[in-house]
Amino acid sequence: MNTTEVLSEFASDVKEGLLQFPKRLPSKYFYNEKGDYLFQQIMHLEEYYLTNAEFEVFEENKAEILKAFLGADGEFRLVELGAGDGTKTKVLLNHFVSKGTKFTYSPIDISGSVLDGLTNALSQEIPALSVEPIKGDYFKALAGLKRNNSMKEVVLFLGSNIGNFMGKSGETFLRKLGEDMSKGDLLLIGFDMMKNPEKVLAAYNDAMGVTREFNLNLLDRINEELGANFDRNNFQHFPTYDPITGETKSHLVSKCTQNVHIAALDETFEFKAWEAIHTEVSQKFSHQMIEQLAKHAGFRIVQNFTDSNEYFVDSLWEKL
Ligand code: AVJ
């Protein structure tokens, strides 16, 4: 590689992560086409309780949620960050439309094909719904919305995606999100709660090995896009759960001492036998942690919605 050439963000993130000790790779790179597909499979797994739990939260509380969204104004724009295929959101959208609610749905996603898929599906399934998709970065999209109108905003950030932020970065993200919202705007945010550690661990180590594939796909992606020679058979998927902190971590453990060359970086990395790469954190929360997060990010908790097992909480926050 020409040394003056600028590395792609992917390449430089991989380099930075593998030069750290312990080694790590950012989980946002799971989601190429194969990764999107594997995550869809994960959402249908028996062990991955999160999907059904949040689905139940919406089914059981949709009337209450609508009441809270309507507030005093009676009109709003519903903005969803990282909408995906919208399976869970449709529960709310269908209910809102059936009640004659005046609102526009704006899913924001970085992937144009994901947005097109969702928009087409919605025009078939809920023709009366007004949809204005926005392709791009969350913050740019939100700032653009604010510039163009003054309607009350309700932001959805579902699926415990907030759990993927490491350390204080979740708080920083939410604070920044708040800066693009007005006082009185709402945020409905999903949290996977602390629970039986066996149950948590099984969700990240399913019997069919889909999560294992999802994790190993990151190595395949580095091979394909950055010209690396990772041998996936030399790495083992190993998740852990810490019931004290609620941190669920995924790792890829090197089964032997080995060298991996990454052509795009013009660099070889050594992995010692049983050295682990940390690939993902999926934080589990307590009510106290949610309260702290809301407070530090500049929001007030209006109401918490949960499922019958109390596995999952969708927390409704108001921007202060
Ligand atoms: C999409 C971030 C909510 O952390 O549970 C699923 C991703 N990783 N199985 C999660 C994931 C492994 C998922 N989130």
Side-chain angles (χ1 to χ4, degrees):
M1 192 196 76
N2 183 332
T3 46
T4 60
E5 204 177 303
V6 180
L7 291 179
S8 67
E9 195 183 318
F10 181 35
S12 63
D13 285 351
V14 166
K15 180 172 177 174
E16 193 196 317
L18 293 182
L19 287 174
Q20 303 265 330
F21 185 81
K23 291 183 171 67
R24 56 178 161 83
L25 291 168
S27 60
K28 66 175 176 183
Y29 296 112
F30 283 146
Y31 303 92
N32 62 355
E33 203 185 325
K34 178 89 185 289
D36 285 341
Y37 169 78
L38 288 168
F39 182 60
Q40 294 297 321
Q41 303 288 107
I42 288 173
M43 287 202 291
H44 291 108
L45 291 170
E46 177 74 41
E47 293 98 330
Y48 197 72
Y49 59 84
L50 288 81
T51 319
N52 285 336
E54 195 173 37
F55 199 83
E56 190 194 325
V57 174
F58 289 168
E59 272 298 346
E60 295 304 313
N61 298 285
K62 56 194 180 189
E64 277 285 298
I65 292 173
L66 177 58
K67 212 164 97 191
F69 284 6
L70 286 171
D73 318 38
E75 222 181 301
F76 57 90
R77 178 185 290 272
L78 189 63
V79 181
E80 180 164 13
L81 309 181
D85 75 349
T87 311
K88 288 169 293 186
T89 318
K90 280 179 204 160
V91 175
L92 297 182
L93 297 175
N94 267 312
H95 180 72
F96 296 178
V97 167
S98 78
K99 294 291 166 191
T101 312
K102 278 201 240 160
F103 75 110
T104 298
Y105 175 57
S106 283
I108 302 177
D109 209 291
I110 200 83
S111 157
S113 64
V114 164
L115 273 186
D116 289 347
L118 178 61
T119 309
N120 288 334
L122 287 173
S123 71
Q124 297 285 318
E125 294 168 39
I126 321 178
L129 178 68
S130 147
V131 185
E132 288 176 14
I134 308 171
K135 179 174 148 33
D137 173 74
Y138 294 165
F139 295 115
K140 285 193 190 124
L142 274 171
L145 277 176
K146 271 294 157 201
R147 247 180 279 119
N148 295 326
N149 68 79
S150 57
M151 203 188 292
K152 175 170 135 187
E153 243 166 46
V154 179
V155 178
L156 303 177
F157 191 45
L158 309 178
S160 206
N161 282 315
I162 189 66
N164 271 177
F165 290 84
M166 301 223 269
K168 284 256 175 270
S169 66
E171 192 179 301
T172 308
F173 172 82
L174 292 173
R175 172 167 289 282
K176 209 170 152 217
L177 184 63
E179 284 167 12
D180 289 323
M181 296 169 68
S182 304
K183 187 173 166 359
D185 281 352
L186 299 173
L187 171 64
L188 185 70
I189 174 168
F191 293 98
D192 191 23
M193 303 304 279
M194 287 180 172
K195 57 182 62 62
N196 185 334
E198 306 285 357
K199 178 131 194 119
V200 173
L201 211 45
Y204 295 88
N205 208 8
D206 62 281
M208 273 167 59
V210 184
T211 311
R212 175 178 174 277
E213 272 305 303
F214 180 67
N215 202 6
L216 284 167
N217 177 54
L218 191 50
L219 301 184
D220 295 344
R221 182 174 184 184
I222 297 172
N223 285 350
E224 285 156 25
E225 292 181 29
L226 304 178
N229 62 352
F230 277 105
D231 180 351
R232 51 150 56 217
N233 296 314
N234 288 342
F235 288 88
Q236 183 177 320
H237 168 65
F238 187 76
T240 60
Y241 175 64
D242 181 342
I244 303 275
T245 63
E247 263 187 324
T248 311
K249 290 183 182 169
S250 285
H251 309 88
L252 289 167
V253 183
S254 175
K255 296 198 251 179
C256 56
T257 296
Q258 54 182 319
N259 286 319
V260 174
H261 182 71
I262 305 183
L265 302 178
D266 201 11
E267 192 124 23
T268 300
F269 297 89
E270 191 194 30
F271 295 83
K272 298 269 192 255
W274 307 115
E275 177 182 358
I277 315 171
H278 173 212
T279 55
E280 187 182 37
V281 48
S282 302
Q283 182 68 44
K284 305 307 163 201
F285 294 84
S286 64
H287 279 281
Q288 199 190 351
M289 288 162 77
I290 296 173
E291 283 156 21
Q292 285 299 311
L293 200 55
K295 189 173 149 199
H296 291 151
F299 292 84
R300 171 183 82 85
I301 299 181
V302 178
Q303 202 173 343
N304 285 324
F305 302 98
T306 190
D307 57 295
S308 54
N309 295 305
E310 300 188 34
Y311 285 162
F312 204 93
V313 166
D314 281 286
S315 190
L316 183 63
W317 296 2
E318 184 190 290
K319 173 73 173 57
L320 292 173

